[in-house]
Amino acid sequence: MPYTELLAPIKSFLHCETPDAWVKEAIQPENFSMLLLDHLVCELKAAQSAMYLIRKYAIDKESGDALLALLQPFERFIYKREGDWRELVVKNKLTKSVIPKSNTPYGQDLIDKMVLLIKEELHHFYQVLEMMDHYGVEYKSITPSRYAKGMFKHVITHEPDTLIDKLICGAYIEARSCERFAKIAPHVDKRLGDFYISLLRSEARHYQDYLALAQSISPVDISARIEYFGKVEAALILTSDSNFKFHSGVPTENDDDPI
Ligand SMILES: [Fe+2]
Ligand SMILES: [Fe+2]
């Protein structure tokens, strides 16, 4: 497989593989819409989290507000169901040139990595909408998964540890997404499978960018913290979870959010 090499560091970073029971559930026809809808929301959330990090840690409020406005058409579509999704392709206008330089030591690195990441996540968001259109899946709101929250609640509440922990969580979310896309790609319709495989390269880079940023910001070695979140993440993946989503745990009989 051409992507085996890409996945090798991800598999050793993650503390567990996705259980077969999740894969089996994910490819059930009744979960087809849910998986696409949750994927769509995850792409927006990835962009939002990266935007939050830039605004909080690397630029002033005024610039942050201007930047935030760029996300609004995407957020309005998801939270208020406003706008035509086809028009979102031209709204992805974020460039490094719109971002002011930061005076924090790691600010520019954070900006450079996160701007690219946001652009890519918004592009993925649009691509998921294209898939939904192709497969006739209508947008509807869904309940959030326990996954990200389950990790973020372990984030230390004083700086710079808060930022470092959040970046480590970001790395795990990206790495798990990458691993799951590879897991389900061979079992779905070719067009969708090819799309999942096309996402692997950027998600693998996102995981590395988050980790590299975390280590460059921390004055001390972060291996113990990476290890800690690896255990937290694996527990969320390996314990039972009735709310089937892209990042959910081992499926149980009662899916409380059917479509
Ligand atoms: Fe993405
Ligand atoms: Fe990503």
Side-chain angles (χ1 to χ4, degrees):
M1 268 187 287
Y3 50 86
T4 315
E5 244 173 77
L6 203 73
L7 284 175
I10 284 180
K11 284 188 175 174
S12 64
F13 176 64
L14 295 169
H15 285 216
C16 70
E17 248 188 74
T18 288
D20 290 344
W22 183 89
V23 178
K24 201 174 156 214
E25 187 71 15
I27 58 179
Q28 296 300 313
E30 66 266 28
N31 286 324
F32 185 83
S33 301
M34 176 58 81
L35 210 59
L36 274 177
L37 285 169
D38 194 44
H39 181 181
L40 180 73
V41 175
C42 286
E43 297 291 2
L44 180 64
K45 284 194 175 152
Q48 287 174 315
S49 312
M51 183 70 91
Y52 170 83
L53 293 177
I54 296 179
R55 293 177 72 233
K56 180 156 171 61
Y57 294 102
I59 55 176
D60 62 30
K61 186 177 179 312
E62 201 181 322
S63 318
D65 289 346
L67 203 56
L68 198 60
L70 291 171
L71 260 193
Q72 275 169 4
F74 299 86
E75 292 175 328
R76 274 203 298 270
F77 179 81
I78 289 293
Y79 302 121
K80 297 188 176 165
R81 301 198 197 182
E82 286 175 14
D84 180 345
W85 70 269
R86 287 173 188 82
E87 285 165 18
L88 290 174
V89 72
V90 294
K91 308 263 185 196
N92 193 354
K93 285 183 187 146
L94 200 65
T95 64
K96 282 180 200 167
S97 64
V98 302
I99 314 283
K101 298 272 187 235
S102 156
N103 49 14
T104 57
Y106 52 81
Q108 195 59 51
D109 193 23
L110 189 134
I111 289 169
D112 290 347
K113 288 191 166 82
M114 292 296 108
V115 164
L116 180 62
L117 184 141
I118 294 167
K119 273 191 84 66
E120 289 180 342
E121 305 299 15
L122 293 179
H123 178 59
H124 298 164
F125 180 87
Y126 185 78
Q127 288 179 300
V128 181
L129 285 169
E130 283 182 321
M131 286 293 146
M132 286 169 56
D133 184 60
H134 176 75
Y135 291 106
V137 175
E138 290 266 321
Y139 177 70
K140 63 163 262 183
S141 55
I142 53 171
T143 60
S145 137
R146 68 181 189 181
Y147 179 74
K149 219 179 181 182
M151 267 192 287
F152 285 126
K153 74 177 185 191
H154 295 271
V155 167
I156 292 174
T157 54
H158 58 80
E159 299 294 358
D161 296 2
T162 306
L163 174 57
I164 293 158
D165 279 2
K166 281 184 177 169
L167 291 167
I168 296 171
C169 291
Y172 274 106
I173 297 169
E174 297 285 349
R176 180 61 66 189
S177 306
C178 196
E179 189 249 4
R180 288 207 159 168
F181 286 135
K183 277 259 179 200
I184 52 178
H187 305 286
V188 296
D189 183 58
K190 186 174 179 326
R191 181 165 175 164
L192 187 60
D194 287 349
F195 171 51
Y196 287 158
I197 296 301
S198 78
L199 295 175
L200 295 186
R201 199 163 294 279
S202 50
E203 307 303 4
R205 183 164 25 78
H206 294 168
Y207 125 80
Q208 278 167 344
D209 283 349
Y210 272 119
L211 265 193
L213 269 174
Q215 188 55 78
S216 70
I217 289 165
S218 177
V220 295
D221 181 73
I222 58 170
S223 316
R225 222 43 208 151
I226 293 173
E227 200 61 18
Y228 175 77
F229 278 105
K231 288 195 176 82
V232 170
E233 200 271 348
L236 289 160
I237 293 299
L238 296 177
T239 52
S240 38
D241 188 350
S242 62
N243 183 10
F244 176 77
K245 291 289 176 320
F246 188 80
H247 293 104
S248 54
V250 178
T252 57
E253 286 297 310
N254 303 320
D255 187 343
D256 60 9
D257 193 15
I259 286 190

